[in-house]
Amino acid sequence: MEDYEKLGAFYLGRPYDLKNKKPKDGILLYDSRDLVTHAVCVGMTGSGKTGLCIALLEEAAIDGIPAIIIDPKGDLSNLLLTFPELKPDDFLPWVNEEDAQKKNLSTAEFAAQQSELWKKGLADWGQDGSRIKRLRDAADFRVYTPGSNAGIPVSILKSFDAPPQTIVDDDELLAERINTTATSLLGLLGIAADPLKSREHILLSNILGYAWKAGKSLDIAGLIQQIQSPPVKTLGAMEIDTFFPAKDRFELAMSLNNLLAAPGFASWMEGEPLDIQQILHTPEGKPRLAVFSIAHLNDAERMFFVSLLLNQTLGWMRTQSGTTSLRAILYMDEIFGYFPPTANPPSKQPLLTLLKQARAFGLGIVLVTQNPVDLDYKGLSNAGTWFIGRLQTERDKARMIEGLEGIASGGLKFDRNEMEQTIAGLGNRIFLLNNTHEEGTEIFETRWDMSYLRGPLTKSQIKKLMDPVKARSAPDSAPAAAAAAAGAAQAVPGAAVAVATETAKTAGAPRPTLPPGITEYFIPARGSASQGASLIYHPAVLGVADVGYSDAKSIDVSQHVSMLTPITSNPIPVDWSQAAVIDLPVDDLEKLPDESGGFADMPSGASKAKNYEAWQKDFSTWIYRNQKLDLLESPSLNVASNPGESERDFRVRLQQRAREQRDAATEKLRLKYAPKFAALEEKKRRAEQAVERETEQASGQKLQTAISFGATLLSSFMGRKAVSLTTLGRATTAARGVSRSMKESQDVGRAQETVEAVTQQMADLDAQFKEETAGLDKSATVQTEQLETISLKPKKTNISVKLVTLAWAPYWHSSEGQATPAWE
Ligand SMILES: Nc1ncnc2c1ncn2[C@@H]1O[C@H](COP(=O)(O)OP(=O)(O)OP(=O)(O)O)[C@@H](O)[C@H]1O
Ligand SMILES: [Mg+2]
């Protein structure tokens, strides 16, 4: 039964016979890749939507796919209630005491009953504790609680950070980002703002846009300050003070300040930053299912947070490479109010953009709602998979059918009458699956969830779940940063501070004049002086080079090297072995010094133009002798890390690579087995008919199914996948040949024998298929395998020095004579 886990297929349930109200043979597998075109799940309350989606998320976890889970009701934290031993004691702390009382049972008795229920429920679906263990081992599970310390708190501070360059460079995306941030922030203040008319909105948008375009981040304090004294003097054609008088701006600033000062608001500021790349995997690179529980928030806060989270996800997504395999899931349990057809809340725009663009990046979006009338159908027409459960009202049904019909016009076959009848007949946990990647629709019953569905967890239960996690992660809160250094250029040991200051003065000399032929730049000073410190520029040489590294196999990478070393009055004025790495884009160098800055003495060597040529040569030689690049290599995939890529990020990337390879391999298998499978299916159908005829003649009554072939993994795997037309063509020809020979042998007495033969052939084909799938999936391997380190030295010809120049390095000189770099 477990073989499907190697195929990237999600086990969601069994096909269901609606007419006879019973499950059919086999299992319902959903191809993980189909989820990159997103899924929508609808059904009335209690129809089993959350249960279905928990199964889907469990399958994703087993497959190593991380998820961002937005949980407005508190049900999804049930994903953390998984007990491999299924003991009553495991259930005891989590059972719902009211449910126990209703049944007149003690809590312990009820827990025992629930443990039995789960054991049996799972067994009925071919699952047991070992699969639960597999689930727990496959991923990390966390509950985040924005605005509360019950679970892992989330800091929203970073959310006003300048978005990644890919977004800043895209006018439309930047405008969207600014718009949603402004709207959701104003929403939090209780101001429902029209982006075009509201002056508050226009002002905030301008402030955010101004900062972000300059690559600058804002915090709320900075925002308050800029509302009072905006960075721009006019808005459109109007003076800012006419458009939005200072007095009124002060009021807006005050209400923002009150928000900041409110006692509860502090919890929005502490905790983990909303950094999607860090959230989706652990520091070791294990996938994570991150449940964002927002049940405790009020409506405005929820909208604010959901919009921020969607925006952050959008920003993260843009930094990912393209893929056709599923990389991550964004799940939202109840989108009522967040994606309405007519209104425009701040969550809507990012959701629309995600639905349109996430596919290319392998981000699958799953949206759930009770009432399809609440949804923006245009946006949802991007969804490739529909799970339709019981619907309550005629209006919902009509609307659902109307919507599906609209979507179906894209080429999907859709029979209105059939659909009406089907939807009317669905029961709880019975869903209609409509998947654009498959032919026709399928009715199925959802499998039993491994997670214990106790219903919404209370705050104190969430606390109990997350306290151990918080305790564990407290001491090593910065492992990711530490890991990021791996694979980076080898910095020179002991050169943390580049420019050694000989005599730290508190007041500098005036700026020296330089002879022609020497260019000078100024490293920008950051931060502000502490009490009594003054800014002094010291002469240094900045060397910038691109260094290429390659090996005999496939590695061919280039690394940017940027080093700073002081110019001294020693016999050797510039010694590259004293240089330190400086993280400064060349474009950031300034042509003029800071007005308040003085200058240290300039050694005579610094004013000889010829020296710089020599120092350039020295720099090149120094790189050749000293630089090396350590990269990691995965033995199983034969892929090396990129320069600067941390081991964690490398392992995350390897997992995606492994999934892509597996998906390509399964696709090949599907094509390979399609003709053989179709031929056997045809044989089976004929054999079934023959047996039925025989039984009918013998007993005079028609039996529903006289025989059962039993479902093979292969038949579930093939599902209703649309395999290419040519292979199908070949398959039917083969099948026709078979049926002719069947006719000849249709001696009723031999029908049973044929059945046995076909069953055997199917079993053989299935075994062959299983054997081929064995080594398919390496995504778990690459998560933990021992990586090899390859150390590369540059070739002389691969060193390209871009710049060696006099660079003035600013230092803060304290009154005690201590000098500290001012550019870090
Ligand atoms: N896959 C499942 N395995 C076990 N129990 C299930 C499953 N699906 C549903 N149930 C049971 O049915 C109940 C209702 O299902 P569920 O919570 O999924 O409904 P829903 O459609 O999400 O309803 P709502 O719209 O009110 O959230 C669950 O609390 C659980 O007891
Ligand atoms: Mg639900």
Side-chain angles (χ1 to χ4, degrees), residues 492-509:
V492 183
V497 175
V499 182
T501 53
E502 294 130 34
T503 43
K505 299 188 214 165
T506 46

Side-chain angles (χ1 to χ4, degrees), residues 414-572:
F414 179 85
D415 181 334
R416 190 175 181 121
N417 279 336
E418 194 191 318
M419 191 63 78
E420 266 169 7
Q421 271 185 3
T422 307
I423 292 186
L426 296 171
N428 285 348
R429 286 181 56 192
I430 310 289
F431 284 80
L432 171 75
L433 168 60
N434 196 332
N435 178 353
T436 43
H437 306 277
E438 299 198 343
E439 288 166 346
T441 57
E442 177 96 79
I443 314 277
F444 75 103
E445 181 176 8
T446 61
R447 74 155 168 79
W448 196 270
D449 285 340
M450 287 186 268
S451 311
Y452 172 44
L453 306 182
R454 68 84 64 201
L457 290 180
T458 61
K459 259 192 183 179
S460 59
Q461 283 174 320
I462 292 180
K463 188 162 167 357
K464 191 148 106 192
L465 279 172
M466 284 299 105
D467 273 350
V469 176
K470 282 194 247 179
R472 239 182 295 131
S473 58
D476 56 12
S477 54
Q490 300 295 302
V492 183
V497 175
V499 182
T501 53
E502 294 130 34
T503 43
K505 299 188 214 165
T506 46
R511 181 176 169 187
T513 19
L514 292 171
I518 297 181
T519 34
E520 61 180 339
Y521 290 101
F522 298 86
I523 293 170
R526 297 207 169 103
S528 50
S530 57
Q531 273 291 312
S534 50
L535 191 68
I536 310 266
Y537 284 100
H538 288 252
V541 183
L542 175 71
V544 179
D546 283 336
V547 185
Y549 299 88
S550 52
D551 75 345
K553 288 188 290 178
S554 56
I555 298 173
D556 189 6
V557 292
S558 159
Q559 192 188 28
H560 186 74
V561 177
S562 190
M563 308 294 294
L564 189 68
T565 190
I567 306 180
T568 64
S569 47
N570 298 341
I572 301 170

Side-chain angles (χ1 to χ4, degrees), residues 66-67 139-142 144 278-283 286-290:
D140 185 51
F141 296 81
R142 276 189 173 190
Y144 291 87
Q278 296 308 319
I279 288 172
L280 284 177
H281 289 89
T282 67
K286 195 180 207 186
R288 179 178 285 148
L289 265 63

Side-chain angles (χ1 to χ4, degrees), residues 225-546:
Q225 190 266 325
Q226 295 213 357
I227 289 172
Q228 290 176 274
S229 34
V232 286
K233 292 287 158 269
T234 53
L235 284 180
M238 250 199 238
E239 287 287 317
I240 193 135
D241 284 329
T242 323
F243 172 78
F244 199 163
K247 183 169 70 64
D248 301 354
R249 293 205 309 270
F250 180 69
E251 249 169 54
L252 177 62
M254 275 311 284
S255 51
L256 205 54
N257 190 55
N258 290 346
L259 181 75
L260 197 60
F265 203 73
S267 50
W268 285 93
M269 296 297 167
E270 37 199 63
E272 289 193 14
L274 211 45
D275 177 340
I276 304 297
Q277 177 74 6
Q278 296 308 319
I279 288 172
L280 284 177
H281 289 89
T282 67
E284 293 75 37
K286 195 180 207 186
R288 179 178 285 148
L289 265 63
V291 179
F292 289 86
S293 187
I294 55 173
H296 57 285
L297 300 177
N298 68 32
D299 285 350
E301 290 169 335
R302 283 184 197 192
M303 181 57 80
F304 170 72
F305 180 73
V306 169
S307 309
L308 281 184
L309 182 58
L310 294 174
N311 272 326
Q312 293 297 110
T313 308
L314 200 56
W316 164 80
M317 180 189 95
R318 294 246 131 205
T319 62
Q320 303 299 302
S321 56
T323 181
T324 51
S325 293
L326 188 59
R327 164 180 272 133
I329 294 175
L330 173 74
Y331 173 81
M332 181 145 184
D333 192 53
E334 180 50 81
I335 62 164
F336 174 73
Y338 295 92
F339 202 54
T342 47
N344 233 336
S347 54
K348 187 170 167 181
Q349 189 58 54
L351 257 180
L352 262 176
T353 312
L354 281 167
L355 283 168
K356 277 192 216 144
Q357 301 180 352
R359 168 184 195 164
F361 302 95
L363 175 65
I365 297 167
V366 182
L367 301 174
V368 175
T369 191
Q370 280 183 15
N371 192 343
V373 182
D374 308 324
L375 303 184
D376 180 276
Y377 254 94
K378 260 210 288 318
L380 293 188
S381 60
N382 293 293
T385 299
W386 287 75
F387 296 109
I388 302 164
R390 259 176 91 182
L391 293 172
Q392 199 156 24
T393 65
E394 287 306 317
R395 184 156 158 256
D396 283 358
K397 279 177 213 163
R399 172 81 207 226
M400 192 69 233
I401 285 165
E402 195 183 299
L404 279 177
E405 206 166 24
I407 295 161
S409 62
L412 187 73
K413 276 204 213 99
F414 179 85
D415 181 334
R416 190 175 181 121
N417 279 336
E418 194 191 318
M419 191 63 78
E420 266 169 7
Q421 271 185 3
T422 307
I423 292 186
L426 296 171
N428 285 348
R429 286 181 56 192
I430 310 289
F431 284 80
L432 171 75
L433 168 60
N434 196 332
N435 178 353
T436 43
H437 306 277
E438 299 198 343
E439 288 166 346
T441 57
E442 177 96 79
I443 314 277
F444 75 103
E445 181 176 8
T446 61
R447 74 155 168 79
W448 196 270
D449 285 340
M450 287 186 268
S451 311
Y452 172 44
L453 306 182
R454 68 84 64 201
L457 290 180
T458 61
K459 259 192 183 179
S460 59
Q461 283 174 320
I462 292 180
K463 188 162 167 357
K464 191 148 106 192
L465 279 172
M466 284 299 105
D467 273 350
V469 176
K470 282 194 247 179
R472 239 182 295 131
S473 58
D476 56 12
S477 54
Q490 300 295 302
V492 183
V497 175
V499 182
T501 53
E502 294 130 34
T503 43
K505 299 188 214 165
T506 46
R511 181 176 169 187
T513 19
L514 292 171
I518 297 181
T519 34
E520 61 180 339
Y521 290 101
F522 298 86
I523 293 170
R526 297 207 169 103
S528 50
S530 57
Q531 273 291 312
S534 50
L535 191 68
I536 310 266
Y537 284 100
H538 288 252
V541 183
L542 175 71
V544 179
D546 283 336

Side-chain angles (χ1 to χ4, degrees), residues 122-135:
L122 288 172
D124 286 348
W125 292 88
Q127 304 178 101
D128 57 17
S130 67
R131 192 158 197 253
I132 299 182
K133 182 165 185 320
R134 182 184 203 134
L135 167 67

